[in-house]
Structures are given as structure tokens and as C-alpha cells.
Amino acid sequence: MGTITTTILIPIVGMILLFLVPERYPKAIKWLTIVFTSSAFLASLGVLALFSSNQFNFQMVEAAPWIPAWGIKYKVGIDGISIWLFLMTTLLTLLAAIFSFYIDKRPRIYFAMMLLLEAAMLGVFVSLDLILFYTFFEATLIPMAIMIYVWGGSNRNYAAIKFFIYTFAASIFMLLGMITLAKQHEALTGVMTFDITAIQALVASGEFWQNTGNLQTLIFWAFTVALLVKCPMFPFHTWLPDAHTEAPTAGSVILAGVLLKMGTYGLLRFSLPLFPEATQAAVLPIMTLAVIGIIYGAVVAAVQPDVKKLVAYSSVAHMGFVVFGVFSLNQAGMMGGAYQQLNHGISTGALFLLIGLIYERTHTRAFKDYGGLKAQMPIFSALFLIVMLSSVGLPGMNGFIGEFLALYGGFMTAANGQYGLTLAYPVIAGIGVILAAAYLLHMFRQVFYGPLNPKLARLKDLKPWEIGLVGVFIVFIFWGGIYPNTFLKPMEKSINATRMMAINPAGQRPAWNNPNHEIDAQGNLVNINARTTTGDIDTSAGFEVVAAADYYAQGDSATSIQPKR
């Protein structure tokens, strides 16, 4: 048991201990939850300390047999794509637990569900076995649905059931796809396994999908539709506004900050590396859905009378940018899409937290019930403005970097005439940025300016602990906007490798389980020659280029690449 497994187990242990505390001691229950969410966050920092950004392969891998007869393992590991999502999970859960001190209704069950949800989300981002991933993926549904159903708003029953049915039903097809992958591996090697590194190695060689007809396309869509529902992407998005609106504030923070990212993470982890030809064929329809989602989410958000619903629909638009960047299939766009996952989690999570703080004071979210809050709550207004501008994508804040890279990546793909894209795609997506500024500024004007509602005349500004809670988000908003390389650099090699897995021809794709594959400083895939030494003299060190970083940059066909030293 290593650091990753320890981090997953900490909230599970905390959940078990909560049930030993009598319900009549709510403060003990809440503080025990803070202890375990803090411990999980510190453990995740330990994972970050051990992580190296100099390789794309999985690190800190832990494996043990689970169901050997079916080739199912407990296998976990981390790379540049998952490292920040792993940390964001522990951070947001800790902040959500601190905010949830106001919960008085069945606190033991509430905080137990939060800890169970944290463990399941952590497991999703580090699973290297398909069935293990599916187990964690589905395990997140139960605690979140319970949190909505018990502690949600007036329409919570409908929202919880809709959330569960949408995401569960879609993932059934993904499970069938996983079984098909394992059986195909068994047909080729005689060994049944759900290990994604073993399956991807055969995909990289070109052997896995040989003579399988349309099977790759069918399994690709089985995975991708399930993941697009989780994002959620238009037209699979309708569960999200209901879930966000009815969920308790902490549930909305975790839902926006982490649960939605499980869908886009799955696209990077499974759809692109395991189904390269199907991925390239699907670029046009998926980019079309992404652009529609960006505009649709912005337009619908603009007409919402409820602050929380507005932010919920804005998530549909923002996740459209993530998918747009990922399926641009170039380095800039994919880096932007991966980075925008983090930015959305911070900015939208902070917006839901701020909405929760004002809702606990006023018990209303309707625009018409506010007005003039700037004079009544100046600190709250200033913090809300900063977070809102981050969501808009103001330069100097984290949202700008992710959206710019995603749009730039889509523009380069369209400019090179790849995958049937035209320049209309990035242009229309760019209009979504303008619309986001329009509806968010309109909301800010209605809530914070104009005459103050007399019913709000006794409102008090934020308390010091509330300012500190929001301040954590503010730090990451400016950190991610002013010095994004802190977060981009560790992702670079893993994103580059995933891109090559998706677009390079068979035999020129990286393999996760090949220790001789490396990505050099120029972004090329190289084969490292074994090093041998005689005394202090290195006698055979070098590498040969397997695939250049700009492969297919202009839509070229395969070319002969000379080894270089």
C-alpha cells in the first residue's frame, strides 16, 4: 500500500469512524470530518511531492490481484493528466466540509456521504484497471444522489433521480465496451485483462483493432457517450441544471469542481488512447456538439432568473470549451482543455460557494430579491466580482489561459484543414466568451447595484472564516492566471503522449508500459537506447526519434524520420 492507496483509504476510514460517534454530538462529527479531509489533502500533497513531470508513464503504480480468474486487478497510478485532478478533489472536499458546518439535519449521514464521495472520486482519477475505474465511477453516484435527495431544495427528489438515471444508464454501455476490450485482448494474447496499459500497448502497435471491422467505432461511442453525459455535453446536459439547483451548496461545489471532470478526464484517459482511428473520425461531430453547447449554455444562462441556475447553465458552456480543446487533437488545444478542467473547478466552485454564503443569509436566489448588495456587503461584492471575472476569462486570471489555448488549438486544427473543421468553429466558440461576459455582468449589475431591497438592510458582510474560505479560491485564480506553468508543465508530457496515441500511425505511438518510450524537450516521441557504463564512462547513451511532435501538423502523410543523437 503506497501513498495513492493511503490517500483513498483516509476518507473511508473517516466515514467508518463517523458511525461510531452518536448523532447527538454534531460538533464532534463535523470536526472529525475536517480532520480526515485535511489528512487526505495532506496525503495528496505527498503524492505531488513524489511526482515527476519528466515522464509521461504512470508513476507510483500499486497493483494487486482482485478477481484473477477474470483478469481484474486493483491497480492505481498517476500521471500528468490526473495529478492536479487528484489534488483538486482533496482540496475542494476539504473546503466543502468546512462550509458545511451549518448542516444540522442528519449530520452524521451527510458527512459520511461526503467522505465516501471523496474516496470514490479519488479512485476514478488513478484507476488503471477498467473494472476498477467503473466501480469508482459508479460509486460516486450513490453519495451524491443521497446528498441531493435528503439535503437538497424543494424539487430535490426529481433532481436526484434524474441525476442517477442519466449517468447510470449511459455508463452501462461503457461497461459493455470494457468487457469487449478485455475479450479482444484475450483473443489476441490468450490472456483476459482489464489493464488499460496492456490494452493500450496492443493498440499502439496496431495489432488490437486489426480485422475487427467497425468494432472500434462502436466501442469508442459506447465509452464517449457515457463520458459526454458525465461532462455533460449538449444534448446530454439536462440533468445538470436540476442537480446543481437542488443540491446543497457543498454538493454543488463538488459536482462542478470534480464530478463533471470525470467525463473529460475519461475522454483523455480512454477515448483518445484506446480508439485512435475512431477518435479522428469523430472530431467533426464532437466539435460540433461542443460549439453548440458553448452557445446554447450561454444563451440559456442569459435568461435565467435564478443565480444558481445561471451558473449551472454556464457550466454547460464552459465544459464545451474543455471538450473543444481536447478534440482539437493538437498540443495547444489539448493543454488548454486539460487546464480548463482545473480552472472551471476553481472558478465555478467558488461561484457556488459564494451563492451558498448569501443564500444562507437570505434564503433566496432570485435576482428580483436582491439589488444594492455592493453597499451593504462590500467584501462579498469584491470577492464575487473577482470570481465572476475569472469565469468570464479576464486576462491575468486562470480562466483566460485555458479558454485561449483551447480556442487557439481549435483554430490551428481548422486552419490546417484537418478532420473537416472550418474556421467557423473557433469563431463561433469565441462568441461564447462574449456571451459569457454579457450574462455574468448582467447578473452582477442586478444583484449588486441599484436600490437595496429593504428586507436585506440588516445583512452582515462575510465573517473572517468565510473570507478565508473564498480566499483559497482567489489565490488559485490569480496563481493560475499569472503563472500557469506551475500547472501546465507537469501535464505537458502526458498530454503530448495522449495526443500521439490518438493521431500517430500504428508503430509510432507511445505505450504507457514501454519504459524505453520517452517524450523529449521538443515534444518528439523517442526510443531511449540502454545506457551501459565502464567505470565512469558512458559508452552508449542516445535515442532515436520515433515520431516528430509536429506529425500531421499540415495533414502530411507518413514520412521517414532519421534517428538523431
Side-chain angles (χ1 to χ4, degrees):
M1 185 176 72
T3 312
I4 293 175
T5 300
T6 300
T7 308
I8 297 172
L9 286 177
I10 286 172
I12 294 177
V13 173
M15 179 192 70
I16 295 170
L17 291 179
L18 281 186
F19 286 105
L20 302 179
V21 181
E23 192 87 66
R24 64 180 179 274
Y25 299 116
K27 284 190 176 180
I29 290 169
K30 294 170 184 178
W31 280 109
L32 189 62
T33 303
I34 299 300
V35 167
F36 279 94
T37 51
S38 299
S39 300
F41 176 62
L42 292 174
S44 69
L45 291 179
V47 174
L48 179 63
L50 296 171
F51 179 79
S52 169
S53 59
N54 294 324
Q55 63 185 79
F56 73 87
N57 311 82
F58 291 107
Q59 302 174 43
M60 292 168 266
V61 175
E62 307 166 33
W66 184 14
I67 310 177
W70 295 348
I72 301 173
K73 305 175 187 175
Y74 172 85
K75 185 176 182 181
V76 295
I78 207 155
D79 71 345
I81 294 173
S82 54
I83 182 66
W84 294 121
L85 294 170
F86 193 76
L87 262 77
M88 189 165 69
T89 300
T90 59
L91 175 63
L92 292 186
T93 306
L94 171 59
L95 298 177
I98 294 171
F99 176 86
S100 296
F101 259 56
Y102 74 89
I103 292 290
D104 294 320
K105 178 184 178 182
R106 301 181 185 177
R108 186 170 60 184
I109 299 294
Y110 177 89
F111 287 102
M113 291 301 99
M114 183 178 288
L115 289 169
L116 176 60
L117 180 60
E118 179 181 23
M121 293 186 300
L122 290 172
V124 164
F125 295 127
V126 295
S127 296
L128 302 184
D129 181 278
L130 290 169
I131 297 300
L132 183 66
F133 171 85
Y134 184 81
T135 302
F136 283 125
F137 191 82
E138 294 299 276
T140 62
L141 300 182
I142 299 169
M144 178 53 73
I146 291 174
M147 289 176 72
I148 297 171
Y149 190 85
V150 178
W151 293 273
S154 58
N155 201 26
R156 59 185 181 273
N157 295 1
Y158 171 77
I161 293 171
K162 188 175 183 180
F163 162 73
F164 187 89
I165 290 176
Y166 259 71
T167 49
F168 179 76
S171 58
I172 289 294
F173 297 100
M174 182 168 66
L175 176 61
L176 295 176
M178 291 173 174
I179 295 170
T180 305
L181 290 177
K183 296 301 291 183
Q184 174 66 5
H185 187 278
E186 183 181 32
L188 292 171
T189 66
V191 177
M192 186 173 180
T193 183
F194 290 88
D195 187 331
I196 65 169
T197 61
I199 294 171
Q200 189 272 327
L202 288 179
V203 173
S205 70
E207 185 180 354
F208 195 83
W209 296 115
Q210 275 185 347
N211 305 317
T212 57
N214 294 323
L215 183 63
Q216 181 182 170
T217 300
L218 291 173
I219 305 305
F220 167 83
W221 284 110
F223 271 79
T224 303
V225 169
L227 298 168
L228 291 178
V229 169
K230 197 74 171 182
C231 289
M233 181 57 54
F234 176 91
F236 312 112
H237 66 284
T238 58
W239 64 266
L240 179 65
D242 293 310
H244 265 321
T245 304
E246 301 303 325
T249 296
S252 293
V253 171
I254 294 173
L255 185 59
V258 184
L259 280 182
L260 304 189
K261 311 310 175 295
M262 288 162 48
T264 48
Y265 167 79
L267 295 175
L268 288 165
R269 177 63 73 231
F270 303 113
S271 295
L272 272 63
L274 301 183
F275 314 99
E277 291 81 12
T279 293
Q280 295 176 53
V283 167
L284 187 60
I286 290 179
M287 291 288 261
T288 301
L289 291 180
V291 170
I292 293 173
I294 290 169
I295 301 301
Y296 170 85
V299 170
V300 177
V303 298
Q304 295 304 314
D306 180 298
V307 179
K308 204 173 184 183
K309 271 196 173 181
L310 181 147
V311 178
Y313 275 105
S314 77
S315 289
V316 177
H318 284 110
M319 294 307 291
F321 280 107
V322 176
V323 175
F324 188 84
V326 168
F327 274 86
S328 68
L329 298 188
N330 62 45
Q331 184 183 5
M334 291 179 67
M335 289 288 286
Y339 190 43
Q340 192 61 11
Q341 293 182 109
L342 308 178
N343 298 333
H344 178 266
I346 295 297
S347 59
T348 306
L351 279 175
F352 279 121
L353 183 66
L354 286 163
I355 292 168
L357 289 171
I358 194 68
Y359 180 78
E360 289 304 313
R361 288 163 164 80
T362 63
H363 299 287
T364 181
R365 295 188 300 261
F367 292 169
K368 63 182 178 62
D369 295 328
Y370 289 104
L373 279 185
K374 180 178 177 292
Q376 188 71 17
M377 302 178 68
I379 296 175
F380 175 80
S381 304
L383 294 176
F384 199 101
L385 178 63
I386 292 171
V387 175
M388 185 200 71
L389 292 175
S390 165
S391 188
V392 168
L394 187 73
M397 297 183 178
N398 59 346
F400 171 75
I401 304 297
E403 287 185 355
F404 171 78
L405 288 174
L407 286 171
Y408 177 73
F411 176 83
M412 292 303 297
T413 301
N416 291 329
Q418 295 173 267
Y419 313 116
L421 294 183
T422 66
L423 291 176
Y425 282 80
V427 169
I428 296 173
I431 294 172
V433 179
I434 301 171
L435 293 175
Y439 66 72
L440 285 169
L441 289 170
H442 172 70
M443 177 266 289
F444 191 80
R445 180 181 63 82
Q446 286 191 291
V447 173
F448 292 92
Y449 288 88
L452 178 68
N453 184 335
K455 295 180 181 179
L456 308 180
R458 293 189 176 184
L459 274 182
K460 301 294 184 183
D461 212 339
L462 296 186
K463 300 172 184 177
W465 74 269
E466 294 172 324
I467 296 172
L469 202 60
V470 180
V472 175
F473 289 94
I474 302 295
V475 167
F476 284 102
I477 283 171
F478 285 109
W479 189 354
I482 295 170
Y483 196 69
N485 267 357
T486 303
F487 308 98
L488 290 172
K489 201 66 179 174
M491 297 192 295
E492 188 174 8
K493 290 197 173 183
S494 293
I495 291 293
N496 239 330
T498 300
R499 172 180 169 268
M500 290 181 176
M501 291 173 188
I503 69 171
N504 283 9
Q508 297 188 31
R509 300 168 185 155
W512 282 316
N513 65 357
N514 187 339
N516 295 324
H517 277 176
E518 190 54 89
I519 307 292
D520 69 10
Q522 290 73 42
N524 301 317
L525 175 64
V526 297
N527 262 331
I528 302 174
N529 296 334
R531 291 177 179 268
T532 59
T533 59
T534 304
D536 295 328
I537 302 173
D538 188 350
T539 60
S540 61
F543 61 84
E544 62 173 354
V545 176
V546 178
D550 60 351
Y551 200 90
Y552 284 166
Q554 305 298 329
D556 297 336
S557 57
T559 56
S560 175
I561 303 171
Q562 296 299 318
K564 64 179 181 181
R565 293 281 178 177

